[in-house]
Amino acid sequence: VTTDLISGTNDGGTIDLASSSAANLTLTGSAELADATSHQGIIVSLNDGESIAVTDEDGSFAFTDLGPGVYRLRAARDGY
């Protein structure tokens, strides 16, 4: 999953993991700031803050131990 942050809403959409029968799923991706070289510190949340991850320098994030389900992804950082 990759999303670019721009001014305004940064809704990454819906991610459907409902068809998986596995437990302890991992969701990885990256979020990038428009016009920036460092993408560190972007707050990425699932289901309105149910789970939260913070990006590293290159914008990578990961959510671990997820169960099957449908998740809504959002990304935010001050100024974007």
Side-chain angles (χ1 to χ4, degrees):
V1 175
T2 301
T3 188
D4 292 323
L5 271 66
I6 56 173
S7 295
T9 185
N10 289 295
D11 187 347
T14 301
I15 300 161
D16 188 352
L17 301 177
S19 61
S20 177
S21 60
N24 301 321
L25 298 168
T26 298
L27 172 65
T28 61
S30 65
E32 298 179 354
L33 301 169
D35 303 323
T37 56
S38 174
H39 307 292
Q40 187 170 16
I42 301 168
I43 298 170
V44 183
S45 64
L46 293 178
N47 295 348
D48 297 321
E50 184 178 292
S51 295
I52 295 174
V54 179
T55 59
D56 61 14
E57 177 86 11
D58 68 0
S60 297
F61 63 86
F63 293 96
T64 59
D65 298 323
L66 297 175
V70 176
Y71 296 92
R72 180 170 255 344
L73 178 74
R74 297 199 91 167
R77 183 168 164 194
D78 287 345
Y80 288 87

